[in-house]
């Protein structure tokens, strides 16, 4: 069951990290509309690889931090801080206007590799994603220092899988609704995701504060 727990948490983390429609999300939608679903999907795949890189940095950084912090109170406050950051992130996602992130996308398809690389570097250019992963890892008790190497591998692979599930889903929806989907639809997606993240962070904070959800 430990493996299943890690997989489910990893997939959820990957989806939550990828779902807000920032610059790379808007680019993925635009490329799906202008070039075809495959180009949107590889753009998302590039972003997913970048997310995986930041997840690795966050996971090993937190493992080191957990190793030197043995104070139960400090770990408790770290979890509450994570839930607070998630709430702020939810508010930001809800209020973000994706129309500001629009750019002219050439209909020249170029190569799939080129589209994937641009998705990777656009996501890589935002190191604040580390804060998002910290906020996700701590309440979920993800990547604790005593986690076996195999489970760590499964966890990170699950994060990538969750991110790819999201990009597969969004490109499928945009491709099927291409005659009716525009960038205003991205605003609706952001508001739904932002609301869900805010609600989840409040529930998580209550569970942590009451001791129902703890690091151990």
């Amino acid at each position: 069951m430990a493996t299943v727990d890690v997989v489910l948490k990893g997939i959820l983390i990957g989806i939550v990290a990828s779902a807000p429609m920032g610059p790379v999300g808007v680019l993925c939608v635009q490329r799906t509309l202008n070039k075809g679903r495959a180009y949107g999907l590889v753009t998302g795949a590039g972003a997913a690889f970048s997310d995986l890189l930041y997840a690795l940095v966050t996971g090993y950084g937190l493992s080191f931090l957990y190793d030197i912090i043995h104070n139960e109170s400090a770990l408790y406050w770290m979890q509450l801080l994570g839930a607070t950051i998630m709430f702020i992130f939810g508010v930001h996602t809800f209020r973000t206007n994706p129309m500001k992130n629009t750019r002219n996308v050439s209909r020249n398809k170029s190569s799939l590799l080129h589209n994937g690389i641009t998705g990777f570097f656009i996501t890589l250019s935002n190191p604040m994603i580390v804060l998002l992963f910290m906020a996700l890892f701590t309440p979920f008790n993800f990547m604790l220092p005593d986690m076996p190497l195999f489970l760590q591998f499964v966890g990170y692979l699950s994060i990538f899988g969750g991110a790819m599930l999201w990009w597969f889903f969004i490109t499928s929806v945009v491709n099927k609704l291409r005659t009716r989907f525009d960038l205003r639809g991205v605003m609706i997606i952001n508001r739904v995701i932002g609301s869900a993240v805010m609600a989840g962070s409040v529930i998580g904070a209550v569970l942590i504060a009451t001791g129902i959800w703890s690091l151990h």
Side-chain angles (χ1 to χ4, degrees):
M1 288 302 294
T3 303
V4 175
D5 183 61
V6 169
V7 169
L8 292 177
K9 287 180 179 179
I11 290 174
L12 183 58
I13 289 171
I15 291 173
V16 173
S18 301
M21 303 299 283
V24 74
V26 173
L27 184 61
C28 176
V29 169
Q30 289 179 305
R31 285 179 171 172
T32 301
L33 292 172
N34 295 340
K35 301 182 180 183
R37 184 184 172 204
Y39 291 87
L41 187 59
V42 296
T43 300
F49 275 111
S50 181
D51 284 341
L52 177 60
L53 180 61
Y54 277 125
L56 286 165
V57 171
T58 305
Y60 283 107
L62 284 176
S63 293
F64 175 76
L65 193 60
Y66 289 149
D67 271 335
I68 62 176
I69 295 178
H70 301 289
N71 188 309
E72 290 287 335
S73 177
L75 295 174
Y76 166 79
W77 286 109
M78 279 182 63
Q79 283 193 303
L80 277 183
L81 177 62
T84 302
I85 293 174
M86 282 305 301
F87 182 81
I88 295 171
F89 172 74
V91 172
H92 173 74
T93 300
F94 184 90
R95 298 182 61 185
T96 296
N97 180 6
M99 305 299 287
K100 294 180 180 179
N101 295 319
T102 58
R103 62 185 70 188
N104 292 325
V105 175
S106 171
R107 292 182 181 273
N108 179 16
K109 293 186 176 181
S110 63
S111 69
L112 289 172
L113 179 62
H114 174 267
N115 283 262
I117 289 173
T118 55
F120 175 83
F121 281 107
I122 289 174
T123 305
L124 193 67
S125 67
N126 182 18
M128 295 300 288
I129 294 174
V130 170
L131 286 178
L132 174 57
F133 278 119
M134 287 179 63
L136 288 166
F137 280 21
T138 49
F140 278 112
N141 303 339
F142 199 73
M143 293 300 162
L144 297 177
D146 57 349
M147 181 179 287
L149 187 61
F150 170 73
L151 285 182
Q152 291 185 36
F153 175 79
V154 170
Y156 288 119
L157 191 62
S158 298
I159 290 175
F160 178 80
M164 287 306 301
L165 279 175
W166 170 255
W167 295 119
F168 183 86
F169 167 76
I170 196 64
T171 54
S172 297
V173 170
V174 172
N175 191 54
K176 288 184 179 180
L177 301 178
R178 66 169 48 248
T179 58
R180 291 173 288 171
F181 193 94
D182 58 26
L183 291 177
R184 291 183 182 83
V186 178
M187 175 71 83
I188 295 173
I189 292 173
N190 268 3
R191 288 183 173 174
V192 171
I193 292 167
S195 299
V197 170
M198 284 188 283
S201 62
V202 170
I203 293 171
V206 171
L207 293 176
I208 292 167
T210 56
I212 297 174
W213 193 344
S214 64
L215 193 63
H216 297 293

